[in-house]
PDB file of all heavy atoms in Angstrom:
ATOM      1  N   ARG A  71     -18.509  15.570 -28.288  1.00  0.00           N
ATOM      2  CA  ARG A  71     -18.551  14.248 -27.655  1.00  0.00           C
ATOM      3  C   ARG A  71     -19.515  14.292 -26.477  1.00  0.00           C
ATOM      4  O   ARG A  71     -19.511  15.242 -25.692  1.00  0.00           O
ATOM      5  CB  ARG A  71     -17.137  13.857 -27.193  1.00  0.00           C
ATOM      6  CG  ARG A  71     -17.030  12.487 -26.539  1.00  0.00           C
ATOM      7  CD  ARG A  71     -15.558  12.158 -26.247  1.00  0.00           C
ATOM      8  NE  ARG A  71     -14.899  13.269 -25.581  1.00  0.00           N
ATOM      9  CZ  ARG A  71     -14.950  13.472 -24.268  1.00  0.00           C
ATOM     10  NH1 ARG A  71     -15.625  12.641 -23.484  1.00  0.00           N
ATOM     11  NH2 ARG A  71     -14.324  14.506 -23.736  1.00  0.00           N
ATOM     12  N   ARG A  76     -23.716  13.727 -13.480  1.00  0.00           N
ATOM     13  CA  ARG A  76     -24.796  13.936 -12.512  1.00  0.00           C
ATOM     14  C   ARG A  76     -24.527  15.255 -11.796  1.00  0.00           C
ATOM     15  O   ARG A  76     -23.405  15.507 -11.357  1.00  0.00           O
ATOM     16  CB  ARG A  76     -24.845  12.804 -11.478  1.00  0.00           C
ATOM     17  CG  ARG A  76     -25.223  11.465 -12.052  1.00  0.00           C
ATOM     18  CD  ARG A  76     -25.268  10.374 -10.985  1.00  0.00           C
ATOM     19  NE  ARG A  76     -23.957  10.168 -10.390  1.00  0.00           N
ATOM     20  CZ  ARG A  76     -23.684   9.155  -9.556  1.00  0.00           C
ATOM     21  NH1 ARG A  76     -24.623   8.303  -9.206  1.00  0.00           N
ATOM     22  NH2 ARG A  76     -22.467   9.027  -9.054  1.00  0.00           N
ATOM     23  N   SER A 123     -20.170   7.741 -20.870  1.00  0.00           N
ATOM     24  CA  SER A 123     -19.591   8.789 -21.718  1.00  0.00           C
ATOM     25  C   SER A 123     -19.085   8.212 -23.036  1.00  0.00           C
ATOM     26  O   SER A 123     -18.568   7.094 -23.088  1.00  0.00           O
ATOM     27  CB  SER A 123     -18.435   9.501 -21.002  1.00  0.00           C
ATOM     28  OG  SER A 123     -18.908  10.407 -20.029  1.00  0.00           O
ATOM     29  N   ILE A 159      -6.427   8.695 -11.636  1.00  0.00           N
ATOM     30  CA  ILE A 159      -6.387   9.628 -12.768  1.00  0.00           C
ATOM     31  C   ILE A 159      -7.271  10.846 -12.483  1.00  0.00           C
ATOM     32  O   ILE A 159      -7.013  11.940 -12.997  1.00  0.00           O
ATOM     33  CB  ILE A 159      -6.799   8.924 -14.082  1.00  0.00           C
ATOM     34  CG1 ILE A 159      -6.321   9.734 -15.292  1.00  0.00           C
ATOM     35  CG2 ILE A 159      -8.296   8.668 -14.143  1.00  0.00           C
ATOM     36  CD1 ILE A 159      -6.508   9.005 -16.612  1.00  0.00           C
ATOM     37  N   THR A 181      -6.442  11.975  -4.007  1.00  0.00           N
ATOM     38  CA  THR A 181      -6.241  10.697  -3.343  1.00  0.00           C
ATOM     39  C   THR A 181      -5.677   9.666  -4.306  1.00  0.00           C
ATOM     40  O   THR A 181      -6.019   9.647  -5.490  1.00  0.00           O
ATOM     41  CB  THR A 181      -7.550  10.158  -2.734  1.00  0.00           C
ATOM     42  OG1 THR A 181      -8.179   9.223  -3.630  1.00  0.00           O
ATOM     43  CG2 THR A 181      -8.535  11.268  -2.420  1.00  0.00           C
ATOM     44  N   ASN A 194       2.656   2.146 -21.502  1.00  0.00           N
ATOM     45  CA  ASN A 194       2.604   1.821 -22.927  1.00  0.00           C
ATOM     46  C   ASN A 194       2.396   0.334 -23.146  1.00  0.00           C
ATOM     47  O   ASN A 194       1.690  -0.077 -24.090  1.00  0.00           O
ATOM     48  CB  ASN A 194       3.872   2.304 -23.624  1.00  0.00           C
ATOM     49  CG  ASN A 194       3.949   3.813 -23.708  1.00  0.00           C
ATOM     50  OD1 ASN A 194       2.927   4.502 -23.680  1.00  0.00           O
ATOM     51  ND2 ASN A 194       5.159   4.348 -23.800  1.00  0.00           N
ATOM     52  N   VAL A 213      -8.350  -5.391 -11.842  1.00  0.00           N
ATOM     53  CA  VAL A 213      -9.250  -5.045 -10.737  1.00  0.00           C
ATOM     54  C   VAL A 213      -8.733  -5.514  -9.376  1.00  0.00           C
ATOM     55  O   VAL A 213      -8.849  -4.758  -8.389  1.00  0.00           O
ATOM     56  CB  VAL A 213     -10.673  -5.574 -11.019  1.00  0.00           C
ATOM     57  CG1 VAL A 213     -11.563  -5.447  -9.779  1.00  0.00           C
ATOM     58  CG2 VAL A 213     -11.299  -4.814 -12.194  1.00  0.00           C
ATOM     59  N   GLN A 268      -5.323  18.775   0.220  1.00  0.00           N
ATOM     60  CA  GLN A 268      -5.183  17.635   1.137  1.00  0.00           C
ATOM     61  C   GLN A 268      -4.932  16.385   0.299  1.00  0.00           C
ATOM     62  O   GLN A 268      -5.602  16.161  -0.714  1.00  0.00           O
ATOM     63  CB  GLN A 268      -6.458  17.442   1.961  1.00  0.00           C
ATOM     64  CG  GLN A 268      -6.470  16.180   2.806  1.00  0.00           C
ATOM     65  CD  GLN A 268      -5.489  16.233   3.970  1.00  0.00           C
ATOM     66  OE1 GLN A 268      -5.458  17.213   4.705  1.00  0.00           O
ATOM     67  NE2 GLN A 268      -4.700  15.179   4.132  1.00  0.00           N
ATOM     68  N   MET A 270      -4.560  12.112   0.241  1.00  0.00           N
ATOM     69  CA  MET A 270      -4.901  10.864   0.918  1.00  0.00           C
ATOM     70  C   MET A 270      -4.381   9.687   0.106  1.00  0.00           C
ATOM     71  O   MET A 270      -4.343   9.749  -1.129  1.00  0.00           O
ATOM     72  CB  MET A 270      -6.416  10.727   1.112  1.00  0.00           C
ATOM     73  CG  MET A 270      -6.972  11.467   2.301  1.00  0.00           C
ATOM     74  SD  MET A 270      -8.694  11.007   2.616  1.00  0.00           S
ATOM     75  CE  MET A 270      -9.521  12.112   1.486  1.00  0.00           C
TER      76      MET A 270
END
Side-chain angles (χ1 to χ4, degrees):
R71 181 175 48 84
R76 294 180 297 189
S123 284
I159 199 172
T181 96
N194 290 335
V213 170
Q268 173 70 48
M270 278 190 275

